[in-house]
Amino acid sequence: MTVHALEPADEPLESDLIADRIVDRLLSHPTFIDALADKLAAALTAAPASEPAAPAIEPSTATAPAGPDSGEETEAVVTELQSWVLCNRPDLVSGDPAVWTSAIVAAATPRRAQAMFVWAFTESCPSPFWRDLTTPIAAPRAGRGAGRHGHFAQLLAEYRAATSEDPDAPAKIDTVVAGVISAVTTLRVQEFSQQPVNARKNALAVLRKHRWDADEIVAIIGWGVRSKQHWRSNVSGVPTAATFTRIRGDWISAGSPVERTISDEQRATIDVLARGWVYHYSKRQNFSDMAVSPATFSHLHDCLTGADGADPVPAETIKSFVRWLCQPDNRHTAFLVSGVDFPSLAQVRRGIISMSTHSDTSVAATNRGASGQVSTSIDVSEV
């Protein structure tokens, strides 16, 4: 039996009038009422009387089962952390100790909260910044994004970095901050005015972006402040990761003045490529005597290592680029080569694009090779 849809009323109906009409419709179908009663009775009989059926929960709103970070164990962690802090570092507490500790545990999670404080505020911490801190740590506020700033947020970030990325992360942050302070205060009229927490936050971001090499980061920023008026006027603290990338770009364009480590394998590959460059370019320019310049060696190293932050240029691609560039009828050579130096990485990348889009020179090279016009006694791929 199906229940027919209620006929729409011409005028708005009061709730009691609507209820009366529904009842009238149901009473006009007694068989439907009997079937409905049977279904309800069967459902009530199947469900336990003392445990009513719980409503279904959508997966997106369901919560995880209670674990070790909830209930009584969370309260135990709060009590234990509060006792430890009040006994060892009461100067860190801001406000009511119970409220402060509860907020710390909620933000850091019970599993991490006490371990983080013991790590930071005892002699085991690799950074004196945390060991010697006397400023009260403001309790993180509840809510999305409320705990992203201040001492607590930075402490949590450094603890995570030290336990999952680099155990020396806090000490390397100290190195970057101290190095930048030295560079800025030595070469600037105004003093270093950046808040310590902000300086450490930026240092951590730059370290993550630059392979945790604190010494080279300090050298690059120091070079920028010493060598470029723009950076001397604008860098007054540890730069953000985006600003550091721009300083490093200038540093690379200037020839990467800080000495870089070159492996034996890279040195051997560079030697092969450099000799091939000298041979082919001297033939192209009719030079009777041409030596490998320091710039050629540096530019080849930049290509093989991807010094601009992009993918490295494979040695085989460099060999093809040299052969293409040194063809007698290649007009790109005048724009890509300066003096006798192998082109810079930026010029090489432009040249590779031209090499792949200008097929006329490639076809000409193929034809010359087939007719024996290209010397095969020494080739950059064979040197």
Side-chain angles (χ1 to χ4, degrees):
M1 175 69 67
T2 58
V3 179
H4 299 286
L6 298 178
E7 297 177 359
D10 295 333
E11 298 179 356
L13 299 176
E14 298 295 336
S15 58
D16 55 347
L17 182 58
I18 295 175
D20 290 342
R21 290 196 173 187
I22 292 175
V23 171
D24 290 341
R25 291 281 185 177
L26 291 176
L27 291 177
S28 64
H29 299 283
T31 56
F32 171 78
I33 296 176
D34 293 339
L36 180 61
D38 292 338
K39 292 287 186 182
L40 289 173
L44 292 174
T45 302
S50 58
E51 297 181 14
I57 301 177
E58 295 294 331
S60 59
T61 59
T63 57
D69 288 354
S70 61
E72 295 181 357
E73 294 194 19
T74 299
E75 294 180 5
V77 171
V78 171
T79 302
E80 188 175 355
L81 177 58
Q82 179 179 334
S83 175
W84 186 91
V85 173
L86 292 177
C87 290
N88 296 276
R89 296 300 302 271
D91 53 314
L92 300 177
V93 179
S94 175
D96 180 80
V99 175
W100 180 86
T101 310
S102 296
I104 293 291
V105 172
T109 72
R111 177 181 58 82
R112 186 183 291 118
Q114 183 162 352
M116 179 176 72
F117 269 76
V118 173
W119 168 84
F121 301 108
T122 63
E123 292 303 317
S124 62
C125 182
S127 172
F129 176 82
W130 296 111
R131 295 197 306 264
D132 301 338
L133 184 69
T134 57
T135 304
I137 297 178
R141 300 188 305 274
R144 185 176 181 180
R148 293 181 181 176
H149 308 285
H151 285 86
F152 171 80
Q154 185 59 30
L155 170 60
L156 182 58
E158 292 188 29
Y159 178 71
R160 286 172 169 169
T163 54
S164 62
E165 298 175 71
D166 188 323
D168 295 327
K172 291 181 177 180
I173 291 173
D174 291 342
T175 299
V176 172
V177 174
V180 175
I181 289 176
S182 176
V184 169
T185 55
T186 301
L187 300 169
R188 290 177 57 89
V189 176
Q190 62 192 68
E191 295 183 356
F192 185 94
S193 58
Q194 192 175 33
Q195 292 295 319
V197 169
N198 293 336
R200 297 184 72 83
K201 178 181 178 181
N202 288 355
L204 177 58
V206 172
L207 282 164
R208 282 175 167 152
K209 191 177 184 67
H210 199 62
R211 307 181 306 277
W212 298 96
D213 192 338
D215 293 332
E216 187 166 86
I217 288 169
V218 171
I220 292 172
I221 297 173
W223 172 88
V225 175
R226 288 192 307 273
S227 306
K228 298 287 185 179
Q229 179 60 41
H230 172 75
W231 299 123
R232 189 179 304 117
S233 302
N234 290 279
V235 174
S236 58
V238 179
T240 63
T243 300
F244 173 78
T245 298
R246 292 194 290 272
I247 298 173
R248 181 174 178 269
D250 289 346
W251 173 74
I252 291 171
S253 299
S256 307
V258 177
E259 183 179 355
R260 295 164 297 170
T261 303
I262 301 176
S263 66
D264 293 339
E265 182 179 357
Q266 287 176 332
R267 188 178 299 276
T269 302
I270 292 172
D271 287 341
V272 170
L273 296 173
R275 292 203 309 272
W277 163 252
V278 167
Y279 173 79
H280 284 283
Y281 191 66
S282 64
K283 295 285 285 186
R284 150 80 191 237
Q285 301 297 101
N286 293 319
F287 292 152
S288 59
D289 187 18
M290 177 178 163
V292 177
S293 67
T296 291
F297 190 89
S298 177
H299 292 167
L300 285 168
H301 180 262
D302 289 343
C303 292
L304 291 174
T305 58
D308 57 357
D311 291 336
V313 182
E316 292 301 320
T317 302
I318 296 175
K319 293 175 183 179
S320 299
F321 171 74
V322 169
R323 290 193 295 268
W324 171 81
L325 189 62
C326 293
Q327 293 170 15
D329 58 349
N330 191 340
R331 292 172 295 176
H332 295 86
T333 308
F335 302 100
L336 297 176
V337 181
S338 176
V340 297
D341 300 332
F342 180 78
S344 67
L345 176 55
Q347 296 291 73
V348 170
R349 293 200 189 280
R350 294 190 189 98
I352 290 174
I353 294 174
S354 298
M355 182 176 67
S356 62
T357 55
H358 293 76
S359 59
D360 53 336
T361 52
S362 297
V363 171
T366 301
N367 292 338
R368 285 196 302 273
S371 62
Q373 296 179 30
V374 178
S375 172
T376 58
S377 58
I378 299 179
D379 189 271
V380 71
S381 63
E382 299 171 352
V383 176

